[in-house]
Amino acid sequence: MREIYDHLGVYPPFGIGDTSADLPEKSECSITIEEVYRTAQIHIRSIGTDLIPRLRRELGRLRAGRLETVYIHLPLTAPATAAVVDAIENLGFFFAGLHLTSTGEDLLTLQYLNNQILDYDTVMVASSNAGRLKEYIRERDPWQE
């Protein structure tokens, strides 16, 4: 993420923050299903102790609905995001990108590909930075050998 920000000339403060603080019981999130594209967008507004079990249930429901891709958007300004990313990746999500906002409430976007195997060799990139990013994503795609 730091390389993406550096390339854009944006220098936010990086740090883990205090993830040892007690999380609330309930997460705040919303799910939008885009039938035309067969995708779902999960927007996390706040992280609670129920997040991972809730995501596991929702992911099962979305997979059963034959959605092709599920995106999850996590707030980078929330210290708890760093604490849950590994558990979300263990559900099969992997890096998709950053969503930078003018308000500074940037989002980390992870993706879950349902029954899709991408041929990354067919993805054309416009720069060496984009090529490194493509390889980073390929290495994290659980469907790649």
Side-chain angles (χ1 to χ4, degrees):
M1 289 189 309
R2 186 181 307 271
E3 186 175 338
I4 293 170
Y5 278 111
D6 286 348
H7 182 71
L8 295 172
V10 179
Y11 306 101
F14 281 90
I16 301 280
D18 182 13
T19 58
S20 64
D22 289 331
L23 293 176
E25 183 179 328
K26 299 276 186 191
S27 301
E28 290 182 41
C29 64
S30 63
I31 300 174
T32 304
I33 295 175
E34 299 167 337
E35 293 290 346
V36 172
Y37 299 108
R38 305 297 305 145
T39 64
Q41 307 281 335
I42 302 173
H43 295 273
I44 307 298
R45 287 183 294 283
S46 68
I47 297 168
T49 58
D50 68 332
L51 182 63
I52 301 306
R54 186 173 176 183
L55 285 177
R56 187 176 291 113
R57 283 189 308 274
E58 289 297 337
L59 182 60
R61 184 179 66 80
L62 295 168
R63 289 175 54 203
R66 300 184 189 269
L67 295 179
E68 296 296 322
T69 308
V70 178
Y71 298 100
I72 185 167
H73 308 282
L74 297 150
L76 283 172
T77 54
T81 293
V84 299
V85 168
D86 285 344
I88 294 171
E89 288 176 336
N90 287 336
L91 295 175
F93 286 87
F94 62 102
F95 184 82
L98 298 177
H99 179 96
L100 282 60
T101 67
S102 60
T103 63
E105 296 179 20
D106 297 349
L107 302 172
L108 169 63
T109 300
L110 303 176
Q111 61 192 331
Y112 180 93
L113 303 179
N114 191 23
N115 298 318
Q116 294 182 66
I117 299 175
L118 295 181
D119 181 358
Y120 287 89
D121 292 331
T122 64
V123 176
M124 304 299 289
V125 296
S127 70
S128 60
N129 286 336
R132 284 195 304 280
L133 183 56
K134 178 180 86 168
E135 291 308 314
Y136 176 84
I137 293 169
R138 180 198 314 243
E139 290 168 5
R140 279 144 187 83
D141 183 341
W143 291 102
Q144 297 296 304
E145 296 177 358

